Amino acid sequence: MNTRNYWLAAACSVLAASPALAQSQNVSMSGITVDYSGDVTGSGSFSGATVDVSGSFGRNLEVSGAAVDIDAEVGGDLEASGGAISIFGSVAGDAELSGGAVEIDLQIGGVTEISGGAVEVSARSVMTGDTEIAVGALDFAGHAMSRLDIDFGDMEFSGIADGEVDFQGSSREGLFRRRDRSEIEIRGVLNAGGEVCAHDVRFMEGAEVNAPLTVLADSPPDYPDGFDAGNITYVERDRARCRD
């Protein structure tokens, strides 16, 4: 092989290896529409009007956009924000999620922070670390294995909470609290008790309270027939603020 052909062959070899090399490191993409699928040993950063990300990331993943769709296995932390967010997969570290509408089906190993106008947490979701949620409307069917702290306006809880809960209806007060109509329906399992505060508190079929729970409401909570309320202490809220 002459010298010219040798260098040409070497150059082709480098070009052929470049895509594999890029996917083994960090990936960063931005644009109006971003669509990425692949496995990355490093971190991923994606932003755009519409962002669709799938694959695995050895370290952290950061995604932002008006419409965000994520289906990923994340070895580090996850940060996602947008107008409408749909997230599936797992996160070994912490997860920070915010959006107008947030839908999650996630296994999260670290601390979870969620904020949004409307949030839905699927029954397959598991939060291993402490979880904080601030939301207008929430449908929570997941499994919180540590402390669960939620500020809400309207909430349906059908999940499992192994740690103490702090459910506060602070997101529907309005100016001078004139529109305070925070509501919560509990049909899930509260294993460690805690506190629930809202204008209206209702326990539904399937609910279990297995440790002392204080309920602050403007009237006594509703219970289904046969419900064991032995661990519940009701305190009249008398329109006091749920969270100072």
Side-chain angles (χ1 to χ4, degrees):
M1 179 182 294
N2 61 36
T3 303
R4 180 176 179 277
N5 289 338
Y6 172 83
W7 287 112
L8 180 61
C12 290
S13 297
V14 171
L15 289 174
S18 295
L21 182 63
Q23 285 205 357
S24 69
Q25 298 179 354
N26 300 331
V27 174
S28 179
M29 296 175 63
S30 62
I32 297 176
T33 300
V34 175
D35 190 345
Y36 179 84
S37 178
D39 297 326
V40 179
T41 59
S43 297
S45 178
F46 305 90
S47 63
T50 301
V51 183
D52 191 337
V53 176
S54 62
S56 65
F57 298 84
R59 298 182 63 189
N60 303 326
L61 175 60
E62 182 177 349
V63 184
S64 62
V68 172
D69 194 346
I70 301 171
D71 187 351
E73 310 296 320
V74 182
D77 299 336
L78 169 65
E79 183 176 342
S81 61
I85 304 174
S86 180
I87 309 174
F88 301 85
S90 66
V91 180
D94 300 337
E96 183 177 347
L97 316 172
S98 63
V102 180
E103 177 186 2
I104 72 169
D105 188 330
L106 277 175
Q107 315 284 315
I108 303 172
V111 172
T112 301
E113 296 182 10
I114 304 173
S115 61
V119 174
E120 181 177 348
V121 179
S122 78
R124 292 180 296 185
S125 294
V126 178
M127 287 80 168
T128 304
D130 291 346
T131 299
E132 294 186 6
I133 302 175
V135 64
L138 173 65
D139 185 350
F140 189 100
H143 186 176
M145 301 180 69
S146 298
R147 184 173 178 84
L148 180 58
D149 189 339
I150 301 175
D151 281 357
F152 65 93
D154 181 82
M155 177 177 169
E156 295 184 10
F157 180 85
S158 58
I160 301 172
D162 291 337
E164 283 194 355
V165 302
D166 187 11
F167 296 163
Q168 303 289 328
S170 305
S171 299
R172 196 183 277 184
E173 292 185 344
L175 186 63
F176 307 117
R177 301 188 66 252
R178 292 173 180 170
R179 297 190 298 275
D180 179 13
R181 290 294 183 268
S182 54
E183 301 178 356
I184 179 171
E185 288 188 354
I186 299 173
R187 62 183 78 245
V189 179
L190 305 179
N191 282 322
E195 181 175 289
V196 176
C197 179
H199 168 73
D200 189 8
V201 178
R202 297 188 295 275
F203 292 87
M204 314 299 288
E205 291 288 345
E208 293 182 23
V209 178
N210 297 320
L213 179 74
T214 300
V215 173
L216 297 92
D218 292 336
S219 59
D222 293 334
Y223 302 114
D225 292 341
F227 179 77
D228 182 2
N231 283 318
I232 297 175
T233 299
Y234 165 65
V235 177
E236 186 177 359
R237 189 177 65 144
D238 195 22
R239 295 188 61 79
R241 291 179 63 89
C242 273
R243 193 184 295 277
D244 295 330

